[in-house]
Amino acid sequence: ISYDVTASQVSLTGQNAVLVTFNDVTHLERAGQMRRDFVANVSHELRTPLTALIGFIETLRGPARDDAEARERFLATMADEAHRMNRLVADLLSLSRVETDERVRPTDRVKPADIVTTILHRLEPLAEAAGATLSADLPAQDVALPGDEDQLGQVIGNLVENAIKYGGRGVSVTVTVSAPAYEPQLRGTGVRLSVADTGPGIDPVHIPRLTERFYRVDDHRSREVGGTGLGLAIVKHIVNRHRGRLRIDSALEKGTIFTIILPVEAPGAGHSVTSRGAS
Ligand code: ADP
């Protein structure tokens, strides 16, 4: 625990005294430390591809100058590194944007099953290239709920991309949207949106930390598949903004299920929703 201590001279009923005030600043110190860690992480993450790029440029100007085959190979790797930096910057911007509007609840009404259909369509080529199968289990009637369409699309996109990236060849990925039902955690009606894969699973010791920025279970694997380490941190903030819940269930060698529970009604409508949902 850290204290900010201030002492001031006061005069109490004519007698001189010193008033000492203790202010608990532990939370400020922790926030400061987290900010410093974040800056150090970002610098490190940006520097890795930059160092590689500088190295390749020097090789291209020197030893590989007249080697056409090596030049092509190096240029391809340089393009990969530049794309990696681009993804990192895009994810950093997304993260900062979702953190900024986390307090502002979305007011548009969106249909989760529609969003799932759009995103799965977009990711079909990626799945095919990786040897993954995508499928959806959607409710007969899609319900509308308060949400931000782009952000919920980003949530589904990040989770499905992870399932494809970490699932390995032959993985099956199923996205399910449930019909609205009473959710005790929300004390109201909610819709469950889950992304399940038949991949290698995640050791339970890692699960509590998965949504931390730059936390990776296998650093090498994450970089190999082009991960930035920010995907699940972005997911967490978007779910928070929607006042939803995120749940991760995983078993090694069986697979992983990410479930998001989203409230169907905006706050204020809560009372009637609770009674309707519970009946
Ligand atoms: P990354 O950019 O590294 O993918 P994320 O925040 O999206 O970062 O995910 C954090 C880590 O969680 C990943 O590095 C990976 O180790 C693990 N992970 C995420 N989704 C899955 C999944 N479906 N199966 C196995 N591991 C996963």
Side-chain angles (χ1 to χ4, degrees):
I1 300 176
S2 312
Y3 289 107
D4 209 7
V5 184
T6 49
S8 39
Q9 278 218 306
V10 290
S11 174
L12 291 171
T13 57
Q15 288 183 318
N16 274 339
V18 176
L19 179 70
V20 182
T21 325
F22 292 91
N23 253 326
D24 181 358
V25 291
T26 318
H27 62 289
L28 289 178
E29 292 224 334
R30 208 175 290 144
Q33 185 58 43
M34 279 172 71
R35 204 164 29 241
R36 286 191 291 277
D37 288 350
F38 182 62
V39 172
N41 273 324
V42 171
S43 313
H44 173 76
E45 298 285 335
L46 282 170
R47 191 169 240 174
T48 309
L50 255 184
T51 308
L53 279 172
I54 293 169
F56 282 120
I57 291 169
E58 273 163 15
T59 315
L60 284 174
R61 291 173 118 182
R65 179 175 230 134
D66 302 315
D67 183 341
E69 187 271 328
R71 203 166 51 224
E72 280 316 303
R73 204 154 27 86
F74 289 163
L75 283 171
T77 315
M78 288 168 78
D80 284 349
E81 296 296 338
H83 285 305
R84 170 190 298 285
M85 289 182 73
N86 207 14
R87 271 196 307 274
L88 179 62
V89 173
D91 276 358
L92 283 169
L93 284 173
S94 283
L95 187 64
S96 125
R97 213 172 297 132
V98 296
E99 275 181 333
T100 310
D101 39 62
E102 196 168 322
R103 287 157 190 268
V104 190
R105 282 204 68 174
T107 48
D108 287 351
R109 292 193 79 78
V110 298
K111 293 189 164 184
D114 274 359
I115 304 178
V116 168
T117 308
T118 309
I119 301 297
L120 288 187
H121 187 68
R122 181 164 68 70
L123 292 178
E124 196 52 60
L126 181 77
E128 210 172 298
T133 319
L134 303 184
S135 59
D137 187 356
L138 306 176
Q141 228 186 345
D142 198 3
V143 65
L145 48 81
D148 180 309
E149 185 151 351
D150 289 343
Q151 290 188 345
L152 290 177
Q154 199 173 2
V155 165
I156 299 158
N158 284 357
L159 296 178
V160 174
E161 274 180 43
N162 276 352
I164 297 171
K165 287 190 306 194
Y166 299 107
R169 282 204 92 75
V171 68
S172 295
V173 185
T174 310
V175 186
T176 308
V177 178
S178 74
Y182 181 74
E183 292 288 349
Q185 286 168 293
L186 300 178
R187 295 209 204 113
T189 309
V191 163
R192 286 181 174 232
L193 208 156
S194 67
V195 177
D197 69 59
T198 55
I202 302 164
D203 190 318
V205 297
H206 297 290
I207 290 182
R209 299 195 58 191
L210 280 189
T211 57
E212 284 175 24
R213 303 146 163 189
F214 298 117
Y215 189 85
R216 294 154 161 130
V217 174
D218 177 344
D219 205 56
H220 178 73
R221 176 93 186 114
S222 163
R223 285 169 206 281
E224 198 178 56
V225 297
T228 61
L230 296 176
L232 291 179
I234 294 171
V235 165
K236 181 185 73 180
H237 284 290
I238 295 176
V239 172
N240 284 347
R241 182 181 177 213
H242 286 75
R243 307 296 183 265
R245 296 282 185 279
L246 170 67
R247 209 193 127 108
I248 308 172
D249 296 281
S250 193
L252 284 175
E253 287 166 40
K254 291 211 166 71
T256 307
I257 310 176
F258 285 87
T259 307
I260 284 150
I261 312 173
L262 294 170
V264 168
E265 296 298 335
H271 195 68
S272 64
V273 172
T274 308
S275 50
R276 203 179 332 136
S279 62

